Amino acid sequence: PETKEKYSCPICLDLLNDPVTIPCGHSYCMNCIKTHFDEEDRKGIHSCPQCRKTFIPRPVLKKNVMFAELVEDLKKTGLQAAPADHCYAGPEDVACDVCTGRKLKAIKSCLTCPASYCEEHLQPHYDAAPLKKHKLVAPSKKLQENICSRHDEVMKIFCRTDQQSICYVCTMDEHKGHETVPAAAERTEKQKELEVRRLNIQQRIQEREKDVKLLQQEVEAINGSADKAVEDSEKMFTELIRLIQKRSSDVKQQVRSHESTHSSSINIRPLSYFEDVTAAVSETRDKLQDILREEWTNISLTVTEEDVLLSPAEPKTRAGFLKYSHEITLDPNTAHKELLLSEGNRKVTFMEQQQSYSDHPDRFTDFYQVLSRESLIGRCYWEVEWRGGAVEVAVAYKLISRGGSLNKCLFGYNDKSWALRCYTNSYQFWHNNIHTVLSGPRSSRVGVYLDHRAGILSFYSVSETMTLLHRVQTTFTQPLYAGLWLLDYGDTAKLIKCKKEDLSHAQPS
């Protein structure tokens, strides 16, 4: 390997091609060092990529004939350049199990051996008849997961009774009498099931895309109708203004035409000679004002009705809210390790000891929070029953930080979350680290109404009546997730399964 590296280009790491030696004594491929010098032309100073010695002016490149002949001799003897650095295994790569010294990257892993091989050491699996039957897969660091920890045998069998992979010895041991199949057969079956699910999901996506397209067409039609209404209205008001201006001009002309230049033949009369004309014009003005006032009311009501049709108003009764009730469960992968989920992942309790959750990138690590599994879009309503010192009922974007400072990940302390904090005797609303003290009846149940498209988020205190605590009007740019935060050990919060008969007498107040 040392001989190979001596005759390799330090830039491309391959055997020297048209070698040139620059004034400092280092050698490179002609094209490699030319490209390097070309990039340095704008600086006016050229340097050696290895020793950094600088040259002014740019060195003239001439082929090193003796070096070129040595490289050709090396090629004839079968020697090749040392593997490039990118061929060696790094910390994140799967290394060849056979290589000694600095290991090369594996290109395949064998489930039968089990071991991983570079291109050279994999060749026997293609040449030797017994090895050709081995199962080769993409390089994997998890080969040990395919080995039975009890019997040190490859797990080629799947136990359907216990839903786990086992080895052939297990079938005669603790899995004796269980329903078992070859792991490959189970894999094929699972792949078929996944394909069916994939097709179903794809079909649902296509249906949603059709719905979106129809909505886009409806939006375009509404916008077009609005543009035409504005254009037609402007045209008609312009015509009306012109008509009034013309009538004003006509009245002025008629009045002036009746003025007399023969003052000697006219008896002096009071200055109220044309008061009847003024009175007639005043009467016309009053009638026109009444008409415009009455018609404006009709126009305004018509526009309001159109607006209501486009975006239904917030429900007025609890039965109306319950029409939008949403089945929500909590995601165990987001729960802080001191939060216990129960009752079908609907209830959360702050425990003194950590739970046996596995590490997960979605898990909150610094604050006692949890998010829903389901995303919330459209119009949704849900209720939370809580007990303890303090609880936050919140909504947040999925990209909210899971660890770090208060402002990054605590609900209500950033622009990615909105939170109602419930204390024993008071409420606060938090968003972007700004809080508002709220008034309202103390209740152990909070109702949340979300109209994602309209940008409305409302919190209610729910008991015999529903009392609005706070309403947000904003623009939501991503799907939201329901969130809960607990303050003290023993605090609990539960997502209630809302039914239309539950507290149906409660009315918003």
Side-chain angles (χ1 to χ4, degrees):
E2 288 184 6
T3 304
K4 299 174 188 176
E5 290 176 5
K6 282 181 181 177
Y7 298 99
S8 295
C9 172
I11 296 178
C12 68
L13 304 179
D14 204 348
L15 279 176
L16 288 162
N17 184 24
D18 287 339
V20 294
T21 303
I22 60 177
C24 62
H26 291 111
S27 299
Y28 301 92
C29 296
M30 173 74 79
N31 283 338
C32 291
I33 194 64
K34 181 179 181 300
T35 302
H36 173 73
F37 284 163
D38 288 345
E39 291 172 355
E40 292 185 325
D41 273 345
R42 51 189 170 84
K43 299 179 185 176
I45 299 176
H46 302 85
S47 62
C48 172
Q50 284 188 278
C51 68
R52 300 298 174 188
K53 181 175 177 61
T54 57
F55 313 107
I56 300 176
R58 172 174 171 163
V60 178
L61 301 178
K62 293 184 179 179
K63 183 175 179 179
N64 187 323
V65 179
M66 186 177 72
F67 229 148
E69 290 174 353
L70 284 172
V71 172
E72 287 302 316
D73 289 342
L74 281 173
K75 288 181 179 178
K76 289 174 183 176
T77 58
L79 292 175
Q80 296 298 321
D85 278 350
H86 62 78
C87 293
Y88 289 111
E92 302 301 320
D93 299 317
V94 179
C96 175
D97 291 317
V98 182
C99 285
T100 57
R102 190 177 179 187
K103 293 179 176 291
L104 296 177
K105 288 182 186 178
I107 63 168
K108 289 288 183 182
S109 293
C110 177
L111 296 180
T112 311
C113 289
S116 300
Y117 303 99
C118 66
E119 186 172 6
E120 180 184 351
H121 294 125
L122 181 66
Q123 196 59 41
H125 275 74
Y126 296 129
D127 298 336
L131 300 181
K132 287 181 179 179
K133 297 179 181 179
H134 288 193
K135 179 68 174 178
L136 297 178
V137 295
S140 172
K141 288 186 176 182
K142 300 180 179 179
L143 286 178
Q144 202 56 37
E145 294 180 5
N146 296 297
I147 305 299
C148 178
S149 59
R150 294 192 60 183
H151 306 112
D152 203 29
E153 295 285 346
V154 179
M155 295 188 292
K156 296 182 179 179
I157 301 166
F158 185 80
C159 177
R160 285 182 171 170
T161 306
D162 294 330
Q163 288 294 298
Q164 67 180 82
S165 297
I166 59 175
C167 71
Y168 76 96
V169 182
C170 292
T171 61
M172 298 179 283
D173 196 351
E174 68 268 28
H175 294 272
K176 188 175 183 180
H178 290 187
E179 182 187 359
T180 59
V181 293
E186 182 67 18
R187 188 181 301 110
T188 302
E189 187 66 27
K190 294 291 185 187
Q191 286 172 343
K192 287 180 181 177
E193 292 175 6
L194 285 173
E195 179 62 18
V196 171
R197 289 177 60 189
R198 188 189 68 80
L199 290 173
N200 287 337
I201 292 170
Q202 189 176 3
Q203 185 177 355
R204 287 167 60 189
I205 290 172
Q206 290 173 349
E207 291 171 356
R208 293 292 183 272
E209 286 175 347
K210 288 180 182 177
D211 293 341
V212 169
K213 192 172 182 180
L214 288 173
L215 284 172
Q216 288 173 339
Q217 291 174 351
E218 186 177 347
V219 168
E220 289 173 3
I222 291 168
N223 291 341
S225 177
D227 292 342
K228 189 174 187 305
V230 169
E231 183 183 344
D232 292 347
S233 298
E234 286 181 348
K235 191 183 294 183
M236 285 184 279
F237 275 113
T238 300
E239 291 174 359
L240 184 60
I241 291 167
R242 286 175 181 169
L243 179 61
I244 292 172
Q245 289 174 336
K246 187 175 187 305
R247 290 291 177 265
S248 172
S249 178
D250 290 346
V251 169
K252 188 188 297 183
Q253 186 177 352
Q254 287 187 19
V255 170
R256 295 300 183 196
S257 69
H258 285 81
E259 287 179 338
S260 180
T261 56
H262 304 286
S263 57
S264 58
S265 62
I266 299 175
N267 295 324
I268 301 301
R269 295 184 62 184
L271 293 175
S272 59
Y273 183 85
F274 287 106
E275 280 185 356
D276 53 344
V277 176
T278 305
V281 173
S282 176
E283 184 181 354
T284 302
R285 180 200 63 191
D286 294 342
K287 287 180 180 179
L288 185 57
Q289 284 180 342
D290 291 339
I291 291 170
L292 289 175
R293 192 179 297 111
E294 181 182 346
E295 289 306 314
W296 172 248
T297 302
N298 292 336
I299 291 168
S300 179
L301 286 172
T302 304
V303 173
T304 304
E305 287 171 4
E306 290 293 335
D307 190 48
V308 169
L309 288 171
L310 294 175
S311 182
E314 192 164 325
K316 302 299 180 186
T317 65
R318 189 162 182 277
F321 281 105
L322 291 177
K323 288 179 182 177
Y324 303 114
S325 63
H326 209 71
E327 291 290 320
I328 300 176
T329 57
L330 301 172
D331 186 353
N333 290 332
T334 67
H336 187 279
K337 288 191 175 182
E338 290 186 45
L339 297 181
L340 170 67
L341 301 188
S342 59
E343 299 188 23
N345 289 338
R346 291 181 180 277
K347 184 177 180 181
V348 57
T349 306
F350 191 169
M351 308 297 288
E352 293 190 23
Q353 68 278 5
Q354 287 199 357
Q355 306 302 302
S356 58
Y357 296 130
S358 60
D359 291 335
H360 196 282
D362 289 344
R363 191 172 309 289
F364 288 106
T365 56
D366 295 314
F367 295 96
Y368 307 105
Q369 300 182 149
V370 61
L371 284 175
S372 66
R373 185 190 300 272
E374 298 80 8
S375 61
L376 305 171
I377 55 175
R379 291 190 293 274
C380 313
Y381 177 76
W382 66 98
E383 291 180 353
V384 177
E385 191 85 29
W386 69 279
R387 296 282 187 277
V391 167
E392 268 191 4
V393 179
V395 295
Y397 294 145
K398 191 170 187 178
L399 52 72
I400 188 172
S401 296
R402 305 310 164 104
S405 66
L406 194 78
N407 291 354
K408 282 187 176 180
C409 49
L410 185 59
F411 295 148
Y413 279 68
N414 45 70
D415 61 358
K416 299 175 181 62
S417 58
W418 296 255
L420 177 75
R421 185 172 294 180
C422 309
Y423 293 101
T424 308
N425 296 311
S426 64
Y427 296 96
Q428 294 177 359
F429 174 77
W430 286 81
H431 174 63
N432 215 7
N433 203 15
I434 299 173
H435 77 280
T436 307
V437 178
L438 307 175
S439 61
R442 199 279 185 206
S443 172
S444 62
R445 185 176 289 203
V446 171
V448 187
Y449 173 76
L450 170 67
D451 186 341
H452 193 282
R453 187 187 68 154
I456 294 173
L457 175 67
S458 301
F459 296 91
Y460 286 86
S461 170
V462 181
S463 54
E464 288 76 22
T465 59
M466 287 182 66
T467 305
L468 177 65
L469 298 173
H470 191 71
R471 176 183 284 113
V472 177
Q473 179 70 64
T474 184
T475 300
F476 298 118
T477 58
Q478 303 164 39
L480 290 165
Y481 290 77
L484 295 169
W485 167 84
L486 308 182
L487 176 66
D488 295 321
Y489 295 134
D491 285 359
T492 66
K494 181 180 178 182
L495 295 166
I496 303 300
K497 283 188 177 181
C498 291
K499 298 178 181 177
K500 291 186 179 180
E501 58 268 21
D502 291 345
L503 296 172
S504 58
H505 58 284
Q507 303 292 327
S509 60

